[in-house]
Amino acid sequence: MRLTYKAGLFVLALGLIALGPLHAQENEGTDSTTRLMQFAANNVDFDKTVEARALELFTKQITACATPEKAVRQLPRTYGELQFPKDPKGQFPYPTQGVWSEHVKIKGCGRIWSINMLAVARDTGKAPLLLALMPGDTLADPAVQKTTERIGATAIKKADAESCADDAFATYSKIIGYLMADGTLTKKDAGHGWFEEWTYKFCQKDVPVQVAFTPNGGGYDIKARIVPSAMPKVPTQKPVTAKDIPAQKSAAPEPARDRSGEPKAAPSPLEPEAPPIKMDPLN
């Protein structure tokens, strides 16, 4: 679980107090993560922009809740190196190059939702662009999220028994647990990968898909399967064997009829049936 933005700023503030006043020359030597945290803690305008954008995305991405309440920004996460302009006045201006992710928790409809955005720096001095990412708590990087969504959608289409023409698309994600060496799950990252559950919208239904991320040396192998209880109902035809075929009843014999075509009366059970009369051929 990520630290909340406010709690993170409190910890960061203690560190800044210990370091003393920050100047431009000192900032130039800090790593991207530290400088991003300083920027996040001090740029109030961008803080408001992030939370406002998250509420806007909430109304578009979270269709299950129409009443969002309070938005609380979380700690950002860097992707590669960021560049910041010199800051002689201590205003912590926007980064000029690089990308990072922003995360906002929003309370609504009795639960906490996670809204995620990709921030893209601009060298024009303007605020970074905030692009929508997959909502939820996925640990997958933005580049991996698109691949993961496609793999999950493919699993749904393969299991579809009704030949639905709609395309499945992911709507939310949550962490199931981290993978241990023995195949069990734990709440702490053991370095062997992790499991998530992605919810897809498919043919006006919510379909949960379990996704496994396992490291392969340079990235992750991604495998997906539909949660067994949510598998589409496939009509199965039971194999037919000889014992399953009901015995055929023999047809009743055609009753004997006289010359007029009327059925002949059955013989009395007390008297044997009279033998047929032999007719002489006509001359």
Side-chain angles (χ1 to χ4, degrees):
M1 179 181 295
R2 299 186 181 93
L3 292 173
T4 65
Y5 174 61
K6 304 303 180 184
L9 294 188
F10 176 75
V11 175
L12 181 58
L14 294 179
L16 295 179
I17 292 174
L19 291 173
L22 293 173
H23 303 289
Q25 289 77 11
E26 294 171 340
N27 288 338
E28 290 175 0
T30 58
D31 61 78
S32 293
T33 299
T34 301
R35 185 66 191 276
L36 179 62
M37 296 302 172
Q38 295 168 348
F39 162 73
N42 291 276
N43 195 304
V44 179
D45 290 339
F46 189 61
D47 182 63
K48 295 179 180 179
T49 299
V50 169
E51 292 186 355
R53 174 62 171 156
L55 286 169
E56 177 187 344
L57 290 176
F58 185 96
T59 61
K60 298 178 180 179
Q61 296 179 328
I62 310 301
T63 57
C65 180
T67 56
E69 300 174 24
K70 188 177 182 180
V72 180
R73 188 181 177 193
Q74 311 295 293
L75 291 177
R77 183 193 305 173
T78 57
Y79 297 117
E81 292 296 321
L82 300 176
Q83 291 187 12
F84 291 81
K86 292 184 178 181
D87 184 24
K89 297 182 180 180
Q91 297 299 312
F92 294 93
Y94 302 124
T96 55
Q97 283 189 352
V99 295
W100 69 96
S101 58
E102 292 283 352
H103 312 276
V104 178
K105 298 286 188 181
I106 298 179
K107 183 179 180 181
C109 301
R111 60 175 289 186
I112 304 297
W113 308 83
S114 297
I115 299 297
N116 308 307
M117 295 158 282
L118 183 68
V120 181
R122 296 190 283 185
D123 59 3
T124 58
K126 296 182 179 180
L129 294 173
L130 291 173
L131 308 177
L133 291 177
M134 174 75 179
D137 300 317
T138 179
L139 299 177
D141 291 344
V144 178
Q145 290 180 22
K146 197 66 177 177
T147 301
T148 304
E149 181 175 14
R150 176 179 52 80
I151 292 174
T154 300
I156 292 175
K157 291 296 288 186
K158 286 183 177 180
D160 173 37
E162 299 178 358
S163 300
C164 179
D166 287 354
D167 292 326
F169 61 92
T171 59
Y172 206 76
S173 65
K174 66 179 182 180
I175 302 295
I176 298 178
Y178 293 95
L179 189 63
M180 299 287 286
D182 61 357
T184 59
L185 296 180
T186 181
K187 293 183 178 180
K188 294 183 179 181
D189 189 357
H192 300 291
W194 70 95
F195 279 84
E196 298 181 2
E197 182 177 294
W198 286 41
T199 300
Y200 283 76
K201 185 67 69 175
F202 181 64
C203 293
Q204 300 180 348
K205 296 180 180 179
D206 289 333
V207 180
V209 175
Q210 294 174 346
V211 184
F213 298 85
T214 53
N216 57 17
Y220 292 95
D221 289 328
I222 305 171
K223 295 182 179 180
R225 70 164 186 171
I226 299 178
V227 175
S229 60
M231 287 288 288
K233 303 300 182 182
V234 180
T236 56
Q237 184 176 358
K238 184 179 178 181
V240 178
T241 60
K243 65 178 182 179
D244 294 324
I245 302 176
Q248 300 256 346
K249 293 183 179 180
S250 58
E254 184 70 19
R257 299 180 182 274
D258 56 21
R259 289 187 174 183
S260 64
E262 295 295 329
K264 293 178 62 176
S268 171
L270 300 179
E271 299 180 7
E273 183 178 5
I277 299 174
K278 292 183 178 180
M279 300 294 291
D280 291 334
L282 296 175
N283 293 328

